[in-house]
Amino acid sequence: SPYSLSISLMTASLCGRGTTQEELASVLAVKLREEKAIAAFQKTNEQLRSASKKTDSRLTLATALWSESRFKLLRAYDQRVSK
């Protein structure tokens, strides 16, 4: 879904550093600081959950990030993505 895609791209952008973060932020037109971006996604998730409860519907989101097995991810990146 478009929402799942935006979560994945935003996660990559927020958890990346240096050139990677700058390029993703530029392409995604991200102007929020990390804390505000995370809070915005959390708020959206809560609104979606709340709306689904009111309409007796079910919302399921599944998002995953995959990396090339030959690339070593920095431990700090892995920890940030886990949040």
Side-chain angles (χ1 to χ4, degrees), residues 17-80:
R17 291 291 176 251
T19 304
T20 300
Q21 186 179 41
E22 291 169 11
E23 289 176 350
L24 281 168
S26 174
V27 168
L28 298 171
V30 175
K31 298 193 182 352
L32 296 175
R33 291 188 166 279
E34 180 177 337
E35 301 82 24
K36 288 186 178 184
I38 292 169
F41 271 97
Q42 288 173 336
K43 182 177 179 181
T44 301
N45 285 339
E46 286 303 316
Q47 290 172 332
L48 290 170
R49 278 191 208 102
S50 177
S52 69
K53 288 178 184 175
K54 291 177 184 175
T55 60
D56 195 33
S57 59
R58 182 176 180 191
L59 173 67
T60 304
L61 297 171
T63 304
L65 291 175
W66 297 82
S67 66
E68 171 61 47
S69 61
R70 295 175 289 166
F71 298 148
K72 289 266 292 172
L73 296 178
L74 298 175
R75 181 179 294 242
Y77 179 84
D78 197 33
Q79 290 171 343
R80 293 174 70 78

